[in-house]
């Protein structure tokens, strides 16, 4: 499961990394939580479009928006079959932009948070799905979920799952709405290289989503 992540890189760096024609308006985020707006990239013809989506996918057939809070993650192994995700998996995929994420390790009587990022500190993309839900009053809500897979060796001692981090060379295939065969897509949903990642313990301040400062990602002794 992935329940918190960060994106503190300058907007210019994000635009360059993901080949966006427009620089998005973004403030540094150190504790992004479910149901909040999250930065994503969608396919729009032969271009990429930046859009903020609500984290927690609301299926088009859901009776109300509260269902999204339970669907912040989708398992890579079953995403093609699950009713809440299978349509979006074929036709509505996105990149969720981040530069790190948190997981918690149970240590005796407490849960110790750890921060995970790439060795080079650069922004990256989680594999995501998106959906549009329409409320009874006509309001439309665009939402998304993050895909997860088995943990690599960096994460394994902390958690048995990790979010799917896509390789840059796979972005176009993941975003391409013409690619709809599950087997073509599932080959992209692998654990990210352990050698390319680092992890370290951080303060329990991150447990509270109202704490939004660089202190959340500072290394702490344990």
């Amino acid at each position: 499961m992935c329940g918190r992540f960060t994106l503190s890189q300058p907007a210019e760096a994000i635009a360059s990394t993901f080949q966006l024609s427009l620089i998005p308006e973004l403030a540094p985020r150190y504790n992004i939580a479910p149901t909040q707006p999250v930065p994503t990239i969608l396919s729009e013809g032969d271009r990429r479009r930046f859009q903020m989506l609500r984290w927690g996918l609301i299926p088009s057939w859901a009776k109300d928006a509260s269902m999204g809070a339970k669907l912040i993650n989708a398992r890579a192994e079953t995403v093609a079959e699950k009713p809440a995700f299978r349509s979006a998996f074929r036709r509505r995929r996105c990149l969720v932009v981040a530069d790190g994420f948190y997981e918690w390790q149970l240590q005796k009587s407490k849960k110790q948070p750890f921060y995970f990022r790439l060795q080079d500190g650069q922004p990256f993309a989680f594999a995501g799905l998106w959906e549009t839900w329409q409320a009874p009053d006509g309001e439309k809500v665009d939402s998304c979920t993050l895909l997860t897979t088995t943990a690599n060796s960096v994460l394994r001692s902390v958690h048995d799952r990790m979010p799917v981090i896509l390789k840059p060379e796979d972005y176009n295939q993941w975003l391409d709405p013409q690619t709809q065969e599950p087997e073509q897509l599932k080959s992209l949903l692998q654990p990210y290289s352990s050698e390319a990642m680092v992890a370290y313990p951080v303060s329990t301040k991150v447990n509270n989503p109202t704490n939004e400062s660089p202190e959340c990602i500072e290394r702490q002794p344990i």
Side-chain angles (χ1 to χ4, degrees):
M1 178 176 176
C2 178
R4 300 283 177 78
F5 67 95
T6 65
L7 183 60
S8 59
Q9 300 289 322
E12 292 81 3
I14 294 165
S16 175
T17 298
F18 293 97
Q19 301 172 12
L20 300 175
S21 56
L22 298 175
I23 297 175
E25 294 185 13
L26 284 172
R29 295 293 311 278
Y30 296 94
N31 200 0
I32 301 171
T35 75
Q36 295 178 354
V38 298
T40 71
I41 296 169
L42 286 64
S43 174
E44 190 173 63
D46 58 354
R47 302 176 65 185
R48 295 177 180 178
R49 172 166 57 89
F50 182 88
Q51 184 172 337
M52 300 296 289
L53 300 178
R54 173 174 163 162
W55 186 9
L57 188 139
I58 310 168
S60 59
W61 42 262
K63 292 183 179 179
D64 59 69
S66 64
M67 187 174 185
K70 302 175 183 178
L71 300 176
I72 64 170
N73 292 159
R75 294 176 68 94
E77 298 88 341
T78 58
V79 66
E81 293 82 37
K82 292 289 186 180
F85 304 125
R86 61 191 178 198
S87 178
F89 183 59
R90 285 181 175 270
R91 300 177 181 86
R92 289 176 295 279
R93 299 180 298 274
C94 62
L95 307 178
V96 181
V97 184
D99 58 12
F101 62 95
Y102 303 98
E103 291 292 358
W104 282 257
Q105 182 185 62
L106 183 61
Q107 297 182 351
K108 296 182 180 179
S109 60
K110 71 169 186 175
K111 287 187 175 182
Q112 171 62 51
F114 283 77
Y115 185 59
F116 299 86
R117 61 170 176 79
L118 301 190
Q119 287 269 11
D120 60 11
Q122 294 301 301
F124 55 83
F126 296 130
L129 310 177
W130 69 276
E131 188 66 85
T132 298
W133 175 80
Q134 185 167 326
D137 63 2
E139 178 192 7
K140 291 185 177 181
V141 179
D142 294 325
S143 61
C144 67
T145 189
L146 310 184
L147 274 75
T148 67
T149 186
T150 53
N152 62 21
S153 61
V154 173
L155 272 103
R156 201 169 296 134
S157 64
V158 177
H159 201 280
D160 61 354
R161 304 287 296 178
M162 70 176 292
V164 174
I165 300 174
L166 293 170
K167 299 175 183 177
E169 59 265 31
D170 293 332
Y171 292 169
N172 286 339
Q173 183 178 355
W174 182 252
L175 289 174
D176 186 358
Q178 302 304 313
T179 302
Q180 297 187 5
E181 289 302 317
E183 292 311 310
Q184 288 180 284
L185 297 165
K186 282 190 172 183
S187 65
L188 307 181
L189 308 180
Q190 305 300 320
Y192 203 72
S193 168
S194 298
E195 290 73 21
M197 297 182 66
V198 294
Y200 55 83
V202 293
S203 168
T204 54
K205 288 181 179 179
V206 74
N207 294 356
N208 186 339
T210 63
N211 291 330
E212 265 278 9
S213 76
E215 291 180 341
C216 290
I217 63 171
E218 290 179 358
R219 184 187 294 268
Q220 298 291 318
I222 57 173

